[in-house]
Amino acid sequence: MEDWLANTDRSEVGREAFFRGRDHEYGVFQNAVTRLRNGCVGGGTMIFQGAPGAGKTAFKLECMEAVRLHSTPDEPWVAVSVKPNALNSAPSVIIAMMEAAKRELDRLDRAFSADESNRTQKLKEAGEYILSGLRQLDVTVNVGVAGITKHGESRSIQLQQGLSAERMFSDAATYFENICLVIFVDEAQNTPVSESAKAVMDCLHGGTQGLSLIATFFGLSDTEQVLSMCGLTRLARGRVITLDTLSYDEATSAVQGVFGAYEFNVQGQAEWVDELARLSQGWPQHINSVAVAAGQIIQKHGSNLQPNLLQQAIELGEEMKEEYFYSRLKACSAHPWIYKQLAIEAKNKDGVLSMFDVEDLTQTIRERKGQSTDDFVTNALHAGVLMEVQNRPKDFKIPIPSFSDYLRKLSLETPTGMNH
Protein backbone atom coordinates (compact mmCIF):
# COMPACT_ATOMS: atom_id res chain seq x y z
CA MET A 1 0.00 0.00 0.00
CA GLU A 2 2.84 2.41 0.84
CA ASP A 3 4.19 2.16 -2.71
CA TRP A 4 0.75 2.71 -4.17
CA LEU A 5 0.04 5.79 -2.03
CA ALA A 6 3.45 7.28 -2.87
CA ASN A 7 3.35 6.70 -6.62
CA THR A 8 3.68 9.66 -8.94
CA ASP A 9 2.52 7.84 -12.05
CA ARG A 10 -0.05 5.04 -12.12
CA SER A 11 2.19 3.10 -14.55
CA GLU A 12 4.68 2.67 -11.70
CA VAL A 13 2.22 0.68 -9.61
CA GLY A 14 2.13 -2.51 -11.63
CA ARG A 15 -0.97 -4.67 -11.57
CA GLU A 16 -3.72 -2.97 -9.58
CA ALA A 17 -5.51 -4.85 -6.83
CA PHE A 18 -8.69 -2.93 -7.65
CA PHE A 19 -8.97 -3.35 -11.44
CA ARG A 20 -12.63 -3.15 -12.47
CA GLY A 21 -14.67 -2.70 -15.62
CA ARG A 22 -13.60 -3.29 -19.24
CA ASP A 23 -15.95 -6.26 -19.55
CA HIS A 24 -16.51 -5.67 -23.28
CA GLU A 25 -12.81 -5.23 -23.96
CA TYR A 26 -11.95 -8.34 -21.96
CA GLY A 27 -14.64 -10.22 -23.88
CA VAL A 28 -12.85 -9.38 -27.14
CA PHE A 29 -9.58 -10.68 -25.71
CA GLN A 30 -11.24 -13.80 -24.31
CA ASN A 31 -12.90 -14.55 -27.65
CA ALA A 32 -9.54 -14.43 -29.45
CA VAL A 33 -7.93 -16.68 -26.83
CA THR A 34 -10.81 -19.17 -27.08
CA ARG A 35 -10.43 -19.30 -30.86
CA LEU A 36 -6.73 -20.00 -30.46
CA ARG A 37 -7.46 -22.78 -27.96
CA ASN A 38 -9.85 -24.27 -30.52
CA GLY A 39 -7.11 -24.32 -33.14
CA CYS A 40 -7.92 -21.13 -35.07
CA VAL A 41 -4.45 -19.75 -35.85
CA GLY A 42 -3.96 -16.44 -37.67
CA GLY A 43 -6.09 -13.33 -37.82
CA GLY A 44 -6.63 -13.12 -34.07
CA THR A 45 -4.73 -9.87 -33.73
CA MET A 46 -6.23 -7.19 -31.46
CA ILE A 47 -5.53 -3.48 -30.96
CA PHE A 48 -6.49 -1.65 -27.76
CA GLN A 49 -5.84 2.06 -28.08
CA GLY A 50 -6.68 5.26 -26.24
CA ALA A 51 -5.47 8.51 -24.75
CA PRO A 52 -2.84 8.58 -21.98
CA GLY A 53 -4.53 7.55 -18.74
CA ALA A 54 -7.24 5.45 -20.39
CA GLY A 55 -6.04 2.34 -18.54
CA LYS A 56 -4.26 0.50 -21.36
CA THR A 57 -1.37 -0.74 -19.22
CA ALA A 58 -3.66 -1.86 -16.39
CA PHE A 59 -5.84 -3.73 -18.88
CA LYS A 60 -2.78 -5.32 -20.51
CA LEU A 61 -1.55 -6.58 -17.13
CA GLU A 62 -4.96 -8.11 -16.42
CA CYS A 63 -4.90 -9.94 -19.75
CA MET A 64 -1.36 -11.20 -19.10
CA GLU A 65 -2.43 -12.45 -15.68
CA ALA A 66 -5.40 -14.25 -17.24
CA VAL A 67 -3.01 -16.06 -19.61
CA ARG A 68 -0.81 -17.13 -16.70
CA LEU A 69 -3.75 -18.36 -14.62
CA HIS A 70 -4.93 -20.64 -17.43
CA SER A 71 -1.51 -22.20 -18.02
CA THR A 72 -1.00 -25.83 -16.98
CA PRO A 73 1.65 -28.49 -17.69
CA ASP A 74 -0.76 -30.20 -20.10
CA GLU A 75 -1.66 -26.92 -21.80
CA PRO A 76 1.04 -24.29 -21.31
CA TRP A 77 0.06 -20.70 -22.12
CA VAL A 78 2.81 -18.10 -22.38
CA ALA A 79 2.37 -14.32 -22.19
CA VAL A 80 5.20 -12.69 -24.14
CA SER A 81 6.03 -9.02 -23.60
CA VAL A 82 7.66 -7.49 -26.71
CA LYS A 83 8.94 -3.92 -27.04
CA PRO A 84 7.79 -2.14 -30.22
CA ASN A 85 11.35 -1.67 -31.52
CA ALA A 86 11.87 -5.45 -31.35
CA LEU A 87 9.22 -5.86 -34.06
CA ASN A 88 11.89 -4.70 -36.49
CA SER A 89 13.69 -8.02 -36.01
CA ALA A 90 12.28 -11.55 -36.26
CA PRO A 91 15.12 -13.01 -34.12
CA SER A 92 14.42 -10.46 -31.36
CA VAL A 93 10.76 -11.48 -31.22
CA ILE A 94 11.61 -15.18 -31.28
CA ILE A 95 14.15 -14.73 -28.46
CA ALA A 96 11.50 -12.90 -26.42
CA MET A 97 9.14 -15.83 -27.05
CA MET A 98 11.75 -18.36 -25.96
CA GLU A 99 12.71 -16.47 -22.81
CA ALA A 100 9.06 -16.05 -21.80
CA ALA A 101 8.38 -19.74 -22.49
CA LYS A 102 11.37 -20.78 -20.38
CA ARG A 103 10.16 -18.63 -17.46
CA GLU A 104 6.66 -20.07 -17.70
CA LEU A 105 7.90 -23.67 -17.90
CA ASP A 106 10.13 -23.03 -14.88
CA ARG A 107 7.09 -21.67 -13.02
CA LEU A 108 5.01 -24.72 -13.95
CA ASP A 109 7.82 -26.98 -12.72
CA ARG A 110 7.70 -25.28 -9.34
CA ALA A 111 3.91 -25.20 -9.17
CA PHE A 112 3.25 -28.84 -10.04
CA SER A 113 4.68 -32.14 -8.85
CA ALA A 114 7.56 -33.86 -10.62
CA ASP A 115 5.25 -36.47 -12.18
CA GLU A 116 3.04 -33.80 -13.68
CA SER A 117 5.96 -31.76 -14.97
CA ASN A 118 7.80 -34.44 -16.99
CA ARG A 119 6.41 -33.03 -20.19
CA THR A 120 7.27 -29.45 -19.28
CA GLN A 121 10.84 -30.54 -18.50
CA LYS A 122 11.21 -31.87 -22.03
CA LEU A 123 9.77 -28.65 -23.43
CA LYS A 124 12.08 -26.60 -21.25
CA GLU A 125 15.12 -28.52 -22.47
CA ALA A 126 14.07 -27.97 -26.08
CA GLY A 127 13.56 -24.30 -25.35
CA GLU A 128 16.97 -23.92 -23.77
CA TYR A 129 18.51 -25.56 -26.84
CA ILE A 130 16.95 -23.20 -29.38
CA LEU A 131 17.48 -20.18 -27.15
CA SER A 132 21.15 -21.06 -26.86
CA GLY A 133 21.35 -21.35 -30.63
CA LEU A 134 19.72 -18.00 -31.24
CA ARG A 135 22.02 -16.28 -28.77
CA GLN A 136 25.00 -17.50 -30.76
CA LEU A 137 23.83 -15.34 -33.61
CA ASP A 138 24.73 -11.68 -33.62
CA VAL A 139 21.72 -10.38 -35.53
CA THR A 140 21.01 -6.95 -36.92
CA VAL A 141 18.30 -6.07 -39.40
CA ASN A 142 18.45 -3.14 -41.80
CA VAL A 143 15.86 -2.58 -44.52
CA GLY A 144 14.97 -6.24 -44.65
CA VAL A 145 18.54 -7.56 -44.98
CA ALA A 146 19.90 -9.51 -42.04
CA GLY A 147 23.57 -9.23 -41.10
CA ILE A 148 24.59 -12.31 -39.14
CA THR A 149 27.75 -13.66 -37.54
CA LYS A 150 27.40 -17.42 -36.99
CA HIS A 151 28.92 -19.35 -34.10
CA GLY A 152 31.51 -16.75 -33.23
CA GLU A 153 32.77 -16.19 -36.79
CA SER A 154 34.24 -12.73 -37.19
CA ARG A 155 32.91 -11.97 -40.65
CA SER A 156 29.38 -10.72 -41.23
CA ILE A 157 27.37 -12.59 -43.83
CA GLN A 158 24.84 -10.44 -45.69
CA LEU A 159 21.97 -12.76 -46.53
CA GLN A 160 20.34 -11.41 -49.64
CA GLN A 161 17.82 -14.25 -49.74
CA GLY A 162 16.58 -16.86 -47.31
CA LEU A 163 16.35 -16.37 -43.57
CA SER A 164 13.06 -14.58 -44.08
CA ALA A 165 10.96 -13.76 -41.05
CA GLU A 166 8.49 -16.43 -42.12
CA ARG A 167 11.26 -19.04 -42.34
CA MET A 168 12.61 -18.12 -38.90
CA PHE A 169 9.19 -18.30 -37.26
CA SER A 170 8.45 -21.59 -39.01
CA ASP A 171 11.75 -23.09 -37.86
CA ALA A 172 11.13 -21.94 -34.28
CA ALA A 173 7.63 -23.47 -34.30
CA THR A 174 9.15 -26.92 -33.69
CA TYR A 175 10.11 -25.87 -30.18
CA PHE A 176 6.68 -24.46 -29.31
CA GLU A 177 4.70 -27.58 -30.05
CA ASN A 178 1.48 -27.62 -27.99
CA ILE A 179 2.34 -24.26 -26.40
CA CYS A 180 -0.02 -21.30 -26.91
CA LEU A 181 1.66 -17.90 -27.13
CA VAL A 182 0.04 -14.51 -26.63
CA ILE A 183 2.24 -11.60 -27.72
CA PHE A 184 1.75 -8.30 -25.85
CA VAL A 185 3.16 -5.11 -27.33
CA ASP A 186 2.85 -1.94 -25.23
CA GLU A 187 3.38 1.60 -26.61
CA ALA A 188 2.67 0.07 -30.02
CA GLN A 189 2.36 3.51 -31.65
CA ASN A 190 6.18 3.47 -31.59
CA THR A 191 6.44 0.43 -33.86
CA PRO A 192 9.03 1.13 -36.60
CA VAL A 193 7.57 1.48 -40.08
CA SER A 194 9.97 -0.67 -42.09
CA GLU A 195 10.04 -3.62 -44.45
CA SER A 196 11.44 -5.89 -41.74
CA ALA A 197 8.69 -4.85 -39.30
CA LYS A 198 6.11 -5.57 -42.00
CA ALA A 199 7.54 -9.06 -42.43
CA VAL A 200 7.37 -9.74 -38.68
CA MET A 201 3.86 -8.28 -38.46
CA ASP A 202 2.71 -10.55 -41.27
CA CYS A 203 3.92 -13.59 -39.28
CA LEU A 204 2.23 -12.44 -36.08
CA HIS A 205 -1.07 -11.61 -37.74
CA GLY A 206 -1.27 -14.09 -40.60
CA GLY A 207 -0.06 -17.04 -38.58
CA THR A 208 2.99 -19.19 -39.23
CA GLN A 209 2.41 -22.90 -39.68
CA GLY A 210 3.03 -24.76 -36.44
CA LEU A 211 2.81 -21.76 -34.10
CA SER A 212 -0.26 -21.29 -31.92
CA LEU A 213 -0.04 -17.53 -31.54
CA ILE A 214 -2.07 -14.35 -31.30
CA ALA A 215 -0.83 -10.79 -30.89
CA THR A 216 -2.29 -7.90 -28.89
CA PHE A 217 -1.18 -4.31 -29.31
CA PHE A 218 -1.72 -1.53 -26.76
CA GLY A 219 -1.01 2.09 -27.64
CA LEU A 220 -2.11 5.67 -28.04
CA SER A 221 -5.03 6.76 -30.15
CA ASP A 222 -3.25 6.52 -33.51
CA THR A 223 -1.93 2.98 -33.00
CA GLU A 224 -4.23 1.44 -35.61
CA GLN A 225 -3.04 4.00 -38.16
CA VAL A 226 0.66 3.31 -37.41
CA LEU A 227 0.23 -0.46 -37.53
CA SER A 228 -1.63 -0.24 -40.82
CA MET A 229 1.51 1.35 -42.28
CA CYS A 230 3.33 -1.77 -41.05
CA GLY A 231 1.00 -3.95 -43.07
CA LEU A 232 -1.44 -4.81 -40.29
CA THR A 233 -4.72 -4.46 -42.14
CA ARG A 234 -7.98 -6.36 -42.51
CA LEU A 235 -8.38 -7.07 -38.82
CA ALA A 236 -11.41 -9.11 -37.87
CA ARG A 237 -14.56 -7.17 -37.05
CA GLY A 238 -14.51 -5.66 -33.56
CA ARG A 239 -10.80 -6.31 -32.96
CA VAL A 240 -9.83 -2.61 -32.78
CA ILE A 241 -11.02 -1.19 -29.47
CA THR A 242 -10.74 2.39 -28.24
CA LEU A 243 -10.59 2.56 -24.44
CA ASP A 244 -12.88 5.34 -23.30
CA THR A 245 -14.25 6.39 -19.91
CA LEU A 246 -15.80 3.82 -17.57
CA SER A 247 -19.44 4.00 -16.55
CA TYR A 248 -20.44 5.42 -13.17
CA ASP A 249 -21.14 1.89 -11.91
CA GLU A 250 -17.70 0.70 -13.05
CA ALA A 251 -16.00 3.71 -11.46
CA THR A 252 -17.91 3.10 -8.23
CA SER A 253 -16.88 -0.56 -8.26
CA ALA A 254 -13.23 0.41 -8.80
CA VAL A 255 -13.20 2.89 -5.92
CA GLN A 256 -14.98 0.37 -3.71
CA GLY A 257 -12.31 -2.12 -4.75
CA VAL A 258 -9.61 0.24 -3.46
CA PHE A 259 -11.31 0.49 -0.06
CA GLY A 260 -11.56 -3.29 0.08
CA ALA A 261 -8.04 -4.04 -1.16
CA TYR A 262 -6.38 -1.70 1.33
CA GLU A 263 -8.91 -2.14 4.15
CA PHE A 264 -9.98 1.49 4.31
CA ASN A 265 -12.92 1.49 6.71
CA VAL A 266 -14.49 4.91 7.09
CA GLN A 267 -17.73 6.26 8.44
CA GLY A 268 -20.17 7.03 5.66
CA GLN A 269 -18.12 4.92 3.22
CA ALA A 270 -20.91 4.81 0.63
CA GLU A 271 -20.80 8.62 0.40
CA TRP A 272 -17.02 8.58 0.01
CA VAL A 273 -17.25 6.02 -2.80
CA ASP A 274 -20.00 7.94 -4.58
CA GLU A 275 -18.24 11.33 -4.38
CA LEU A 276 -14.88 9.94 -5.48
CA ALA A 277 -16.42 8.02 -8.40
CA ARG A 278 -18.19 11.16 -9.60
CA LEU A 279 -15.01 13.19 -9.22
CA SER A 280 -13.13 10.68 -11.41
CA GLN A 281 -15.69 11.01 -14.24
CA GLY A 282 -14.89 7.39 -15.05
CA TRP A 283 -11.40 8.16 -16.35
CA PRO A 284 -9.08 5.35 -15.16
CA GLN A 285 -6.16 7.65 -14.39
CA HIS A 286 -8.48 9.83 -12.31
CA ILE A 287 -9.92 6.84 -10.48
CA ASN A 288 -6.39 6.07 -9.36
CA SER A 289 -5.71 9.72 -8.44
CA VAL A 290 -8.82 10.28 -6.35
CA ALA A 291 -8.36 6.89 -4.67
CA VAL A 292 -4.75 7.77 -3.81
CA ALA A 293 -5.95 11.12 -2.44
CA ALA A 294 -8.54 9.40 -0.24
CA GLY A 295 -6.00 6.84 0.90
CA GLN A 296 -3.50 9.49 1.90
CA ILE A 297 -6.10 11.40 3.92
CA ILE A 298 -7.38 8.25 5.63
CA GLN A 299 -3.87 7.02 6.43
CA LYS A 300 -2.86 10.41 7.83
CA HIS A 301 -5.79 10.57 10.25
CA GLY A 302 -6.08 6.90 11.19
CA SER A 303 -9.34 6.17 12.95
CA ASN A 304 -9.88 9.80 13.94
CA LEU A 305 -12.18 10.62 11.03
CA GLN A 306 -13.68 14.09 11.24
CA PRO A 307 -16.66 15.03 9.06
CA ASN A 308 -14.54 17.34 6.86
CA LEU A 309 -12.09 14.64 5.73
CA LEU A 310 -14.09 13.72 2.64
CA GLN A 311 -13.90 17.32 1.50
CA GLN A 312 -10.14 17.25 2.04
CA ALA A 313 -9.90 14.09 -0.06
CA ILE A 314 -11.95 15.73 -2.82
CA GLU A 315 -9.74 18.83 -2.82
CA LEU A 316 -6.58 16.72 -2.97
CA GLY A 317 -8.11 14.64 -5.76
CA GLU A 318 -8.83 17.82 -7.72
CA GLU A 319 -5.21 18.91 -7.28
CA MET A 320 -3.98 15.57 -8.63
CA LYS A 321 -6.31 15.83 -11.62
CA GLU A 322 -5.00 19.31 -12.43
CA GLU A 323 -1.41 18.06 -12.18
CA TYR A 324 -2.34 15.44 -14.77
CA PHE A 325 -3.86 18.07 -17.07
CA TYR A 326 -0.76 20.23 -16.69
CA SER A 327 1.48 17.30 -17.63
CA ARG A 328 -0.65 16.65 -20.73
CA LEU A 329 -0.35 20.29 -21.82
CA LYS A 330 3.42 20.20 -21.35
CA ALA A 331 3.52 17.34 -23.86
CA CYS A 332 1.79 19.47 -26.50
CA SER A 333 3.60 21.05 -29.44
CA ALA A 334 1.72 24.38 -29.42
CA HIS A 335 1.05 27.05 -26.79
CA PRO A 336 -1.83 26.20 -24.40
CA TRP A 337 -4.06 28.98 -25.77
CA ILE A 338 -4.65 27.00 -28.96
CA TYR A 339 -6.02 24.05 -26.98
CA LYS A 340 -8.24 26.45 -25.05
CA GLN A 341 -9.69 27.53 -28.40
CA LEU A 342 -10.25 23.91 -29.39
CA ALA A 343 -12.07 23.26 -26.10
CA ILE A 344 -14.30 26.31 -26.60
CA GLU A 345 -15.13 25.27 -30.16
CA ALA A 346 -15.83 21.69 -29.08
CA LYS A 347 -18.34 22.89 -26.48
CA ASN A 348 -20.14 24.87 -29.19
CA LYS A 349 -20.37 21.72 -31.35
CA ASP A 350 -21.68 19.16 -28.84
CA GLY A 351 -18.16 18.11 -27.90
CA VAL A 352 -17.05 16.97 -31.37
CA LEU A 353 -14.46 18.62 -33.64
CA SER A 354 -14.07 17.66 -37.28
CA MET A 355 -10.68 17.55 -38.96
CA PHE A 356 -11.72 20.74 -40.78
CA ASP A 357 -12.42 22.45 -37.43
CA VAL A 358 -8.97 21.51 -36.15
CA GLU A 359 -7.31 22.57 -39.40
CA ASP A 360 -9.13 25.92 -39.41
CA LEU A 361 -8.50 26.77 -35.74
CA THR A 362 -4.80 25.92 -35.89
CA GLN A 363 -3.98 27.27 -39.34
CA THR A 364 -2.09 30.44 -38.34
CA ILE A 365 0.04 28.84 -35.62
CA ARG A 366 0.83 25.84 -37.80
CA GLU A 367 1.90 28.01 -40.71
CA ARG A 368 4.27 29.94 -38.43
CA LYS A 369 5.75 26.67 -37.14
CA GLY A 370 5.76 24.91 -40.51
CA GLN A 371 3.62 22.14 -39.07
CA SER A 372 1.06 20.09 -41.00
CA THR A 373 -2.43 19.41 -39.70
CA ASP A 374 -1.62 15.70 -39.48
CA ASP A 375 1.46 16.40 -37.34
CA PHE A 376 -0.53 18.70 -35.05
CA VAL A 377 -3.26 16.07 -34.64
CA THR A 378 -0.74 13.29 -34.00
CA ASN A 379 0.89 15.33 -31.23
CA ALA A 380 -2.51 16.20 -29.71
CA LEU A 381 -3.50 12.52 -29.76
CA HIS A 382 -0.24 11.47 -28.09
CA ALA A 383 -0.60 14.21 -25.48
CA GLY A 384 -4.16 13.14 -24.72
CA VAL A 385 -5.70 16.50 -25.58
CA LEU A 386 -7.67 14.98 -28.45
CA MET A 387 -9.06 11.52 -29.03
CA GLU A 388 -10.70 10.18 -32.18
CA VAL A 389 -14.43 9.57 -31.78
CA GLN A 390 -15.13 5.85 -32.04
CA ASN A 391 -16.74 4.86 -35.36
CA ARG A 392 -16.33 8.42 -36.68
CA PRO A 393 -12.96 8.68 -38.46
CA LYS A 394 -11.41 12.16 -38.47
CA ASP A 395 -13.80 13.44 -35.80
CA PHE A 396 -12.25 14.26 -32.44
CA LYS A 397 -13.18 15.01 -28.85
CA ILE A 398 -11.38 15.97 -25.66
CA PRO A 399 -11.24 12.63 -23.78
CA ILE A 400 -12.30 13.82 -20.32
CA PRO A 401 -15.07 16.37 -19.66
CA SER A 402 -13.11 17.90 -16.77
CA PHE A 403 -10.08 18.36 -19.04
CA SER A 404 -12.27 20.34 -21.43
CA ASP A 405 -13.46 22.48 -18.49
CA TYR A 406 -9.85 22.97 -17.36
CA LEU A 407 -8.79 24.15 -20.82
CA ARG A 408 -11.67 26.60 -21.18
CA LYS A 409 -10.91 28.13 -17.76
CA LEU A 410 -7.26 28.79 -18.54
CA SER A 411 -6.53 32.51 -18.05
CA LEU A 412 -5.03 32.90 -21.50
CA GLU A 413 -5.86 35.27 -24.31
CA THR A 414 -5.32 34.61 -27.99
CA PRO A 415 -2.13 36.49 -28.96
CA THR A 416 -2.51 39.46 -31.32
CA GLY A 417 -2.37 38.37 -34.93
CA MET A 418 -3.19 34.76 -34.13
CA ASN A 419 -6.88 34.86 -34.96
CA HIS A 420 -7.60 32.52 -37.81
Side-chain angles (χ1 to χ4, degrees):
M1 182 179 73
E2 294 295 333
D3 290 341
W4 174 69
L5 289 178
N7 84 86
T8 56
D9 186 324
R10 69 193 305 265
S11 64
E12 298 173 0
V13 181
R15 186 163 171 261
E16 295 171 338
F18 51 89
F19 183 86
R20 296 291 190 280
R22 301 300 184 206
D23 290 345
H24 170 67
E25 293 84 351
Y26 185 74
V28 172
F29 176 77
Q30 191 174 41
N31 174 262
V33 168
T34 300
R35 290 182 74 253
L36 183 64
R37 177 180 284 126
N38 293 337
C40 299
V41 177
T45 306
M46 295 158 282
I47 298 174
F48 298 97
Q49 61 185 12
K56 299 179 295 296
T57 299
F59 180 61
K60 181 198 74 169
L61 293 174
E62 287 300 306
C63 291
M64 294 183 78
E65 178 68 3
V67 170
R68 189 189 71 80
L69 289 175
H70 285 84
S71 181
T72 66
D74 289 333
E75 189 180 2
W77 281 78
V78 179
V80 186
S81 182
V82 175
K83 294 185 181 300
N85 283 342
L87 296 171
N88 212 30
S89 161
S92 295
V93 176
I94 293 169
I95 288 174
M97 290 159 53
M98 293 305 313
E99 290 177 335
K102 182 179 182 302
R103 286 193 298 271
E104 176 58 18
L105 295 176
D106 285 341
R107 187 189 72 82
L108 290 173
D109 278 343
R110 294 190 300 270
F112 294 87
S113 69
D115 290 341
E116 291 176 309
S117 63
N118 284 338
R119 184 171 164 277
T120 63
Q121 180 61 30
K122 293 178 181 178
L123 291 169
K124 185 174 69 171
E125 290 171 358
E128 289 172 345
Y129 173 78
I130 186 61
L131 184 58
S132 174
L134 283 169
R135 280 178 168 159
Q136 291 179 34
L137 304 180
D138 177 22
V139 183
T140 58
V141 178
N142 183 21
V143 196
V145 178
I148 296 188
T149 302
K150 281 192 175 181
H151 306 298
E153 295 177 2
S154 59
R155 67 189 185 90
S156 179
I157 306 169
Q158 293 297 319
L159 301 178
Q160 302 296 335
Q161 57 187 355
L163 201 67
S164 66
E166 184 177 4
R167 171 63 184 275
M168 295 188 76
F169 276 90
S170 294
D171 287 349
T174 303
Y175 303 95
F176 292 100
E177 186 180 1
N178 299 319
I179 295 179
C180 293
L181 299 138
V182 185
I183 307 294
F184 291 88
V185 182
D186 207 358
E187 301 295 338
Q189 76 280 353
N190 295 324
T191 300
V193 179
S194 66
E195 291 303 313
S196 50
K198 289 179 182 178
V200 171
M201 203 71 72
D202 186 58
C203 293
L204 296 180
H205 178 56
T208 301
Q209 188 173 8
L211 273 174
S212 295
L213 178 151
I214 55 175
T216 57
F217 297 87
F218 299 79
L220 296 176
S221 301
D222 60 338
T223 295
E224 180 185 11
Q225 178 184 346
V226 171
L227 295 182
S228 69
M229 292 188 287
C230 296
L232 186 58
T233 56
R234 300 184 303 278
L235 268 68
R237 183 175 179 271
R239 291 295 174 86
V240 180
I241 304 294
T242 298
L243 300 184
D244 211 326
T245 53
L246 299 176
S247 69
Y248 166 76
D249 287 342
E250 290 172 326
T252 300
S253 178
V255 176
Q256 184 64 59
V258 176
F259 278 65
Y262 298 111
E263 298 181 350
F264 294 152
N265 298 310
V266 298
Q267 295 175 348
Q269 184 164 304
E271 183 183 4
W272 279 65
V273 171
D274 175 69
E275 291 288 345
L276 294 172
R278 293 185 188 282
L279 181 61
S280 75
Q281 294 187 313
W283 192 244
Q285 191 276 341
H286 287 350
I287 292 173
N288 187 79
S289 292
V290 301
V292 167
Q296 289 179 352
I297 296 296
I298 293 169
Q299 186 185 54
K300 180 179 178 180
H301 291 84
S303 59
N304 184 24
L305 296 175
Q306 300 92 357
N308 66 336
L309 289 187
L310 174 56
Q311 185 57 37
Q312 290 184 35
I314 290 172
E315 290 171 0
L316 182 55
E318 287 282 11
E319 288 180 19
M320 289 184 173
K321 286 172 59 176
E322 295 211 354
E323 287 175 6
Y324 169 75
F325 296 149
Y326 177 74
S327 72
R328 295 297 89 219
L329 277 177
K330 282 184 66 176
C332 292
S333 60
H335 193 275
W337 63 263
I338 195 67
Y339 305 101
K340 176 180 179 177
Q341 294 301 312
L342 289 171
I344 293 171
E345 184 72 6
K347 186 177 182 181
N348 294 334
K349 296 194 171 183
D350 295 324
V352 177
L353 294 168
S354 68
M355 179 65 90
F356 175 79
D357 292 328
V358 176
E359 184 175 37
D360 184 44
L361 286 166
T362 63
Q363 180 179 356
T364 302
I365 188 65
R366 286 188 297 98
E367 288 177 352
R368 292 198 178 193
K369 292 169 65 70
Q371 185 182 43
S372 69
T373 305
D374 285 343
D375 286 344
F376 178 89
V377 168
T378 296
N379 174 262
L381 291 172
H382 286 193
V385 176
L386 292 180
M387 177 178 177
E388 197 165 33
V389 179
Q390 197 160 6
N391 300 321
R392 292 179 58 172
K394 305 302 180 182
D395 278 355
F396 306 95
K397 66 178 181 178
I398 296 170
I400 323 164
S402 57
F403 195 7
S404 186
D405 296 338
Y406 172 86
L407 291 170
R408 288 194 302 272
K409 291 177 182 176
L410 289 173
S411 57
L412 301 168
E413 298 296 330
T414 304
T416 304
M418 286 293 184
N419 292 309
H420 63 284

